[in-house]
């Protein structure tokens, strides 16, 4: 770990992504402090220096080799860089947006964090007039920020987007656009070198890029950690259920890791109907392949929108004799009237808990619900950013089966 290089790492928070960006930066500082202490301890044991002398020498090298390194008041202590790059965002009356980077970023590796699913009012202009941004509004902010970073001389630009936009438009069924691929190629042409995302809807999206790297992280460890607080993972009464054929691989992973049986719900859909509420889904037929009678059920999916299909799956599982139902979603959007729909379903006894991640910003409207459990994935993104920045392997983060096994070991 070269500490002077950490001062060339900059993080930009787009409007609406301030919460997760703050968590990521906090974790980055903790990561570098841990490495700093580890390096100091190693040098103390190898050379005839005191710990104070080693730390003073490290700070000395950092200060003379990096103009962006913050000078510590106490040279015997480590001072982490600020990491966050100040950017002024402006939204004009006609809806146009502008991004202005407020400090030099020349030759820096920039990581732009964007929560494209944040639908809560955001005060972009800091004038007391918050407004809600659509996915397309968020993308325009992202594009102007990318262009500003490239124009300001950044060495590289990486997008940190927990929810990859338009990921459900990844295949054609007629005369329609492959918007998921178009978004990535647009970023690639603008100069973006890498996208870091979470549980992308289709792995095939990565095949559409020429040089851009896509790092697809998984929240399985964080979800299992929360699940272990809700049920006995060693109980024979636990069964994993895939809510549809598209989620089989995800739930097969959980079933294999937990060493539990796997069941599946087969659904037939009418894709001419677009779901706008939980009551208006496009499912025409459902069948359960497996046995859940008298069992506690765990279901995992990548995305929760209006929640209609998930609630219908819960109803079916209950009719088949399931006891406690726990669902996990990596990207909990809760669009439309989903919070009210799940509150009603919870009061009707359809499920026990829903585990979501902080990949999508939510207020107390969701976080204070008795049935909702939030799993934090900020450290996962911070570790990924640190390893990418220093050119280290991501294998253990992309395939976290080993760390899950250690967590499950008695």
């Amino acid at each position: 770990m070269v500490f002077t290089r950490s001062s060339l790492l900059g993080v930009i928070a787009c409007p609406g992504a301030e919460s997760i960006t703050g968590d990521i930066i906090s974790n980055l500082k903790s990561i570098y402090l841990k490495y700093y202490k580890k390096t100091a301890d190693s040098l103390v044991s190898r050379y005839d220096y005191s710990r104070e002398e080693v730390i003073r020498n490290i700070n000395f090298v950092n200060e003379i080799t990096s103009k962006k390194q913050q000078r510590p008041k106490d040279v015997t202590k480590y001072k982490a860089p600020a990491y966050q790059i100040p950017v002024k965002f402006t939204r004009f009356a006609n809806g146009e947006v502008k991004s202005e980077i407020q400090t030099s970023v020349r030759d820096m590796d920039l990581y732009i964090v964007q929560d494209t699913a944040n639908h809560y009012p955001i005060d972009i202009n800091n004038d007391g007039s918050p407004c809600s941004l659509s996915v397309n509004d968020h993308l325009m902010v992202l594009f102007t920020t990318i262009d500003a970073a490239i124009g300001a001389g950044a060495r590289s630009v990486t997008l940190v987007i927990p929810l990859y936009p338009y990921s459900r438009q990844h295949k054609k069924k007629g005369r329609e656009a492959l918007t998921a691929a178009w978004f990535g190629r647009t970023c690639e042409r603008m100069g973006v070198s890498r996208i870091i995302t979470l549980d992308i809807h289709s792995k095939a999206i990565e095949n559409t890029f020429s040089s851009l790297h896509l790092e697809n992280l998984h929240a399985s460890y964080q979800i299992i950690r929360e699940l272990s607080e809700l049920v006995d993972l060693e109980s024979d009464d636990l069964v994993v259920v895939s809510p549809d054929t598209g989620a089989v691989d995800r739930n097969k992973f959980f079933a294999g890791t937990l060493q539990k049986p796997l069941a599946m719900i087969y659904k037939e859909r009418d894709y001419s109907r677009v779901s706008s509420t939980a009551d208006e889904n496009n499912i025409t037929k459902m069948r359960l392949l497996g046995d859940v009678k008298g069992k506690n059920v765990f279901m995992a999916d990548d995305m929760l929108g209006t929640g209609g299909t998930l609630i219908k799956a819960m109803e079916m599982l209950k009719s088949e004799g399931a006891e406690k139902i726990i669902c996990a979603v990596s990207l909990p959007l809760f669009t439309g009237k989903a919070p009210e729909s799940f509150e009603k379903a919870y009061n009707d006894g359809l499920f026990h808990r829903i585990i979501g991640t902080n990949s999508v910003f939510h207020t107390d409207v969701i976080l204070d619900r008795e049935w909702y459990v939030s799993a934090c994935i900020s450290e996962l993104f911070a570790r990924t950013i640190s390893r990418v920045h220093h050119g280290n392997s991501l294998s253990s983060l992309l395939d976290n089966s080993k760390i899950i096994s250690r967590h499950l070991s008695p």
Side-chain angles (χ1 to χ4, degrees), residues 162 197-202 216-220 223 250 301-303 330-331:
T197 189
L198 182 73
D199 279 337
I200 197 165
H201 192 67
S202 172
N216 182 34
L217 305 179
H218 304 282
S220 48
I223 287 172
R250 177 176 292 102
D301 211 347
D302 62 335
M303 195 179 300
S330 303
L331 305 165

Side-chain angles (χ1 to χ4, degrees), residues 51-246:
R51 182 178 178 81
E52 181 177 323
E53 288 176 316
V54 167
I55 294 176
R56 287 171 63 91
N57 286 336
I58 293 176
N59 284 333
F60 177 77
V61 172
N62 281 350
E63 195 166 325
I64 66 173
T65 56
S66 177
K67 64 180 181 179
K68 295 182 181 297
Q69 184 77 18
Q70 290 186 332
R71 296 183 176 182
K73 294 180 180 179
D74 185 352
V75 295
T76 63
K77 294 182 179 179
Y78 171 64
K79 177 66 175 179
Y83 295 120
Q84 184 155 358
I85 303 297
V87 180
K88 180 182 178 182
F89 297 96
T90 306
R91 187 175 190 271
F92 299 98
N94 66 349
E96 292 182 1
V97 292
K98 181 171 69 171
S99 304
E100 299 175 83
I101 298 176
Q102 303 290 289
T103 187
S104 174
V105 294
R106 190 169 299 280
D107 290 332
M108 291 187 69
D109 295 321
L110 296 186
Y111 296 80
I112 303 175
V113 185
Q114 177 62 293
D115 181 356
T116 59
N118 190 337
H119 56 271
Y120 294 95
I122 302 169
D123 191 359
I124 298 180
N125 296 332
N126 293 317
D127 59 358
S129 301
C131 60
S132 297
L133 301 184
S134 68
V135 173
N136 296 331
D137 291 329
H138 282 300
L139 291 187
M140 204 60 226
V141 172
L142 183 63
F143 289 148
T144 58
T145 306
I146 294 171
D147 192 50
I150 297 294
R155 179 169 59 181
S156 69
V157 173
T158 296
L159 305 186
V160 181
I161 315 178
L163 173 60
Y164 188 99
Y166 287 95
S167 61
R168 285 176 287 191
Q169 296 186 26
H170 63 93
K171 58 184 178 181
K172 296 177 69 173
K173 296 176 183 175
R175 299 181 183 90
E176 58 183 289
L178 288 170
T179 318
W182 172 86
F183 166 74
R185 289 199 301 268
T186 299
C187 294
E188 187 176 46
R189 294 189 190 103
M190 292 186 71
V192 173
S193 58
R194 190 180 307 265
I195 294 178
I196 303 173
T197 189
L198 182 73
D199 279 337
I200 197 165
H201 192 67
S202 172
K203 296 179 181 178
I205 294 173
E206 185 176 9
N207 299 332
T208 62
F209 308 139
S210 299
S211 59
L212 185 147
H213 299 279
L214 180 68
E215 311 296 354
N216 182 34
L217 305 179
H218 304 282
S220 48
Y221 168 68
Q222 289 76 15
I223 287 172
I224 287 180
R225 190 172 56 189
E226 297 297 336
L227 179 64
S228 65
E229 300 293 325
L230 301 174
V231 294
D232 181 5
L233 299 183
E234 297 182 0
S235 173
D236 293 334
D237 292 332
L238 181 63
V239 60
V240 179
V241 176
S242 176
D244 52 36
T245 55

